[in-house]
Amino acid sequence: MPLPCSLLRTGSLAALFAVLLLRPAAAQTSYPMLMSLKPTAVQVGATTEVTLESRYSMFGCKSVLVSGTGVTAEIVTPMELGKDGKEPKLESLKLKFTVAADAVPGVRDFRLLGPTGASTIGQVVVAVDPIIAEEKDNDVLEKGQPITLPATVCGTIEKAEDVDFFRFTLTEPATLQFHCRAMRLEDRIHDLQAHVDPLLTIRSSTGSVIAAADNTYAADPLLSCRFDRAGDYLLEVRDSRYQGNPHWTYAIEVSSRPFVTAVSPLALAPGAARSIEVIGQNVPTGTRLEFAPAADLAPGPQRVRLPLAVGPSNPVNILIETLPISEETGENNTPSQAQPLQVPGALCGRMETAADVDCFAFEAKKGEAFAFEVVARRLDSALDPIMAILNDKGARLTESDDIRIGPRGSQDAAIDSWTAPADCRYVLEIRDLHLRGGADFVYVLRATRPEPGFDLVLDSDKTIIAPGGCAPLFVRAFRKNGFDGEITLAAEGLPEGVTASAGRILPGAKTLDGSILFEAAAGLPAGGREVAVTGRAQVKLPDGSVTEKIVRARPMQEIYMPGGGRSHFYSDQHVVAIAPQSDVVAVKLDATELSIEPGKTAQIDVEITRAEGFTQNVTLDMVFQHLSQIYANTLPPGVTVDAKASKTLLTAGETKGHVVLKAAPDTAAVERQQCCVMAHVSINFVMKSTAGSKPVWITVPGAAPAPAAAK
Ligand SMILES: [Ca+2]
Ligand SMILES: [Ca+2]
Ligand SMILES: [Ca+2]
Ligand SMILES: [Ca+2]
């Protein structure tokens, strides 16, 4: 079990002792946590063999799920029992990725399916050029590993002070693009608290520095370098701080092809052809082309390939937009020069030069409400926007620099709901936080009316169920602009033999969580499928009309933080997987319906079925929490677990416990809220595997049920 670093750093025996005493009994079986892939890229139109490393055994895994289309993978390493007849601890294995010739390049998520369910997410770079893997002994200039270009150079900054050299020969002058992916591949790794900060340097054959790049996309560099003479050159890769880690892999795409970094305008209407400006490395200034995004692209951020003269470009970020699109025109640097702003509308602009300030004007009556959002950094624009609203006297009324999108931060700016304090001509001002500018400082300003609504996120990227058992998936709502109605959940795409009981998020401004309880038929083999979760609600619009909104929940992968905290990162898919090797097979309750009068208590008796030989600690709960932070609470508001009256810790093979719920005297009436009893087994200090009971429907009787009507 990795100890929390903060405690280790104190070096205090007492602190260590405290941790050891707290240490939960480990699971007998854990899903594999994928750590790194070497090489970390695979080639389009080819089959590439790679080595996958994990924490916890991958023994028995049979299949690989890869996101998107055109990429498949299979496990090459044979699964053989050891000479002692026992399963080996398999934390390294060979995979073979096969990529179709028309597969879109970029990063894909993948995971293994096996007897312990689904692994955590791994990421693989799909690249156009041949893959070259780092060989040993390339740490000094003289031993630079020879490479032929174009190539996708893959290696690892495996130890402190590691420096990797690659030597290439140019037979004529050339401009080369070096696109490094490393730090961005580490956000989703479960157990990698420290991340790489790669630095690329181009040197002459004798070692003089020709060019260097550090941070373009987060900590990852994009370097364009002009070579005026034929000759031998070196590419040097290291961590900017000279740190290292056996799981710090990188993939550097090196070619003379253009690398598009942005387009202008950044927002495009689906299916509509228009002339756009193309911006990037080795792209001549002022390059324009006719482009129409596919008509079936969903509104929001999308990646597209542009038809350049030399062939399809690298995938480029655009915003598919259904609002009327307009563009920044002429001088707008001061409030008096402000360009009129259309509401609702999407205005595409740019910080053309350093110190550029863009001003837009709109008339508003006292009490009129607006919502403004700048989309830039989410689409890899160089701009870190800051937005302000000024009145006609030049006073700054409100400002936004960075925002939160669900549980994670973004450097983009938004003013979700702003009400004009008086009849006035207002000015919306946008600039870069550091007053930088340039061709790729593009943005979209979305101006709309605030509308009640909600976003949904899934607490995990995987739900693992024992055959014959149940497991919960929690869904959290981020309510917007006063929406406090009920949200009904649904799940689609279940694996064969799995059923789902979809619950609801109760009405109330502070009621956020609901659940979907999956049940797997007895005897199901290992396997899994991507499952989509949606929520629907009746939403009352500002004009008084009621509309139904359907929102797809975004999966989030759980990760753990330095010090032992649990955090989340967005992922592409949620998988429901069957795990024949589970420590807790089933959680049985003595009730499926439970009624609790306000001010009273009620008890649920629980009996778990342990896997044969599994005697370690199991903890029961009805609220999903870690280190006193609550990640999901589906109990009716006012109903809590009475910890003192409950028996939730089952030690030394115990199978029976009970949970006592109490309802506060002012608990509002609720009819049949779906809840479940969870049985947790700790995998390490942060992660736990969770089995669930079948639904227990909790009712709080009362004269008048809580209003479930739309608001
Ligand atoms: Ca290395
Ligand atoms: Ca860097
Ligand atoms: Ca501008
Ligand atoms: Ca910002």
Side-chain angles (χ1 to χ4, degrees), residues 183 196-200 213-216 218-221 238 240:
M183 184 261 191
V196 67
D197 180 356
L199 176 71
L200 299 186
D214 186 352
N215 306 320
T216 310
D220 288 347
R238 64 172 172 91
S240 69

Side-chain angles (χ1 to χ4, degrees), residues 377 383-387 400-403 410-413 431 433:
R377 197 47 79 85
L383 174 66
D384 177 352
I386 183 162
M387 170 167 62
S400 165
D401 175 4
D402 296 348
I403 52 173
S410 163
Q411 285 165 309
D412 280 346
R431 58 182 171 86
L433 178 64

Side-chain angles (χ1 to χ4, degrees), residues 328 330 332-333 349-353 356-360 430 443:
E328 182 189 4
N332 62 355
N333 284 7
R350 166 155 56 182
M351 298 301 134
E352 290 88 353
T353 58
D356 187 20
V357 178
D358 289 352
C359 296
F360 304 99
I430 300 172
Y443 66 88

